[in-house]
Amino acid sequence: MSGLLDRLLETGIPVLADEPLAGYTGLKVGGPADILAIPRTAEEVAQALSLAEQTGAQVLIMGRGTNLLIGDGGLRGLVLLIGNGFEGDSVVIHESRCIAAAGIKLLDLLDQLCQAGLSGLEDLFGIPGSLGGALAMNAGAYGVEIWPRVGWIEVVLPSTGMQRYPGDEIEYGYRRATLPRGSAITRAELVLDRGDSSRIRTRCLERLADREKKHPLEWPNCGSVFENFPWEPGMDIEYENLEIALGVYFSRRTLEDRGSCLLPAWRLVDACGLTGRRIGGARISTKHSNFMINLGGAKAAEFAALIELVQKTVKETFGIRLETEVRRLGEWNEELRPLA
Ligand SMILES: Cc1cc2nc3c(=O)[nH]c(=O)nc-3n(C[C@H](O)[C@H](O)[C@H](O)COP(=O)(O)OP(=O)(O)OC[C@H]3O[C@@H](n4cnc5c(N)ncnc54)[C@H](O)[C@@H]3O)c2cc1C
């Protein structure tokens, strides 16, 4: 790793060795990265990725860390942070199109779209994190997702350098986008609708107020921990328990009549009596059962144990396997980590 560190230092890219990552994440947990590099431009991203490839180091691209659970043992290899100040957080708006740098806060970008009277993504107002993270995760809220608004993305690939992809060439789904392997998003074009600034602002503020009411924002957290469960007709789950716990709207018959739908994870967690459950400094929020909060000094392993407890209990009760929306990465202290 010292070979890569030396070569990165020669490029002038800001680099930190053995840097604790907790402070860079929403949950405020996670051990150190061997190397944390903070490129300022797409060219620096290309340089760093190329050096990592030459030295065989693994790479994690990180945005603003609001959807990450990093192990207490930290991350080996190179972490490339594309966040604050990347490409000067540039935003260029022309008619109903907007080109923005990937590290910009989604909130700041949406604020600028609002000022310019550009509509389409108001429902995402209040989602923390960067534009790049929102694209990698296909961020969404209130039934609206970011990808249908993407004209193109620019990415840096370790082997071929910078590439532009039209939005409709990237496959996406619920909280995922199939980006070219190993790519770092550096810029994207969004295609919006013309609208009235004051109406857009009102909608944004309504969404923000709703989040503040429902989410435990006063504590470090990573947003929804679990994905809502994608139910399909004919699935073999515990329908009786589901109807008893969640009501007739979730009976087998009603579900079969409705067709494919998402079962809200927070209701499944709550119905299992897990709201408020605590392991060490990690707790399932009493304000929103799909959020876990750091009460102070929590270990990543405590969040992992809480996640496992939820998965096991929900599986036993409803025959449903909840998958995590938060991305779990890095190394874990084996003594503490109870996950298989
Ligand atoms: C209070 C709260 C509320 C939230 N509400 C929502 C919500 O309503 N809807 C929703 O969808 N999400 C929500 N989230 C989750 C999170 O904010 C989003 O997933 C966000 O888009 C992640 O952005 P980030 O920059 O923090 O990404 P990170 O957490 O840093 O990374 C997430 C993933 O994106 C990848 N990534 C990040 N940047 C890049 C890049 N430039 N190029 C390539 N890959 C990249 C990372 O490798 C990682 O796999 C919420 C989180 C919190 C804390």
Side-chain angles (χ1 to χ4, degrees):
M1 215 35 64
S2 71
L4 175 58
L5 182 61
D6 291 343
R7 294 179 72 181
L8 281 167
L9 285 168
E10 278 166 23
T11 63
I13 300 171
V15 179
L16 297 158
D18 218 15
E19 174 71 359
L21 291 173
Y24 297 88
T25 70
L27 261 182
K28 303 286 174 248
V29 297
D34 284 342
I35 304 175
L36 175 72
I38 310 178
R40 295 156 295 195
T41 60
E43 287 70 26
E44 289 189 347
V45 173
Q47 274 180 303
L49 285 182
S50 158
L51 289 175
E53 188 168 67
Q54 286 165 34
T55 50
Q58 61 183 36
V59 179
L60 170 75
I61 314 295
M62 186 169 171
R64 288 171 183 261
T66 62
N67 202 49
L68 300 178
L69 172 53
I70 295 170
D72 300 307
L75 280 165
R76 303 293 68 83
L78 173 67
V79 174
L80 216 54
L81 194 147
I82 299 182
N84 205 20
F86 179 78
E87 295 277 0
D89 286 333
S90 82
V91 176
V92 177
I93 293 175
H94 181 63
E95 296 178 347
S96 58
R97 289 170 184 261
C98 159
I99 298 170
I104 190 170
K105 270 190 192 163
L106 188 65
L107 194 81
D108 291 348
L109 173 61
L110 296 185
D111 190 48
Q112 293 191 45
L113 294 183
C114 167
Q115 281 174 36
L118 293 181
S119 167
L121 291 174
E122 300 85 309
D123 289 330
L124 274 53
F125 198 79
I127 298 180
S130 64
L131 171 62
L135 292 166
M137 294 299 303
N138 186 24
Y142 306 97
V144 172
E145 295 178 336
I146 194 164
W147 267 92
R149 293 289 175 177
V150 176
W152 49 257
I153 56 167
E154 271 175 9
V155 303
V156 175
L157 292 160
S159 41
T160 49
M162 251 176 281
Q163 300 265 352
R164 185 180 284 195
Y165 292 87
D168 58 11
E169 276 187 19
I170 304 289
E171 196 216 324
Y172 62 88
Y174 176 56
R175 300 297 173 268
R176 64 169 184 86
T178 313
L179 300 172
R181 200 174 163 72
S183 62
I185 304 170
T186 50
R187 247 179 9 144
E189 182 198 58
L190 300 173
V191 183
L192 291 311
D193 301 320
R194 289 236 150 257
D196 172 67
S197 275
S198 72
R199 280 202 192 154
I200 296 169
R201 167 81 53 208
T202 303
R203 176 95 169 188
C204 287
L205 294 179
E206 278 169 10
R207 291 317 196 194
L208 193 62
D210 193 44
R211 285 174 175 279
E212 282 166 356
K213 197 169 76 192
K214 292 180 179 158
H215 297 168
L217 303 180
E218 57 282 23
W219 298 97
N221 71 81
C222 60
S224 294
V225 174
F226 298 100
E227 291 180 350
N228 292 327
F229 180 74
W231 180 85
E232 296 286 345
M235 263 184 177
D236 182 20
I237 63 170
E238 301 293 335
Y239 289 99
E240 239 179 78
N241 289 350
L242 195 67
E243 186 178 347
I244 293 167
L246 269 61
V248 70
Y249 193 65
F250 292 92
S251 70
R252 180 173 206 152
R253 201 167 160 183
T254 320
L255 285 172
E256 296 283 355
D257 284 350
R258 266 199 289 166
S260 311
C261 64
L262 292 174
L263 304 183
W266 76 267
R267 293 206 60 184
L268 300 173
V269 176
D270 189 52
C272 289
L274 292 168
T275 303
R277 185 66 68 92
R278 176 178 177 176
I279 297 180
R283 185 179 198 194
I284 299 175
S285 164
T286 50
K287 198 168 177 186
H288 192 307
S289 318
N290 197 16
F291 275 56
M292 291 183 185
I293 56 173
N294 184 344
L295 296 171
K299 296 252 181 292
E302 292 164 352
F303 283 101
L306 213 43
I307 286 171
E308 192 197 32
L309 175 70
V310 169
Q311 285 176 323
K312 188 166 168 285
T313 316
V314 169
K315 180 77 184 164
E316 281 168 6
T317 313
F318 300 116
I320 284 172
R321 161 89 187 169
L322 284 182
E323 300 297 341
T324 51
E325 181 172 322
V326 63
R327 298 210 168 165
R328 282 181 289 177
L329 304 163
E331 293 188 352
W332 300 76
N333 178 333
E334 290 307 322
E335 272 170 45
L336 284 170
R337 186 186 178 219
L339 286 175

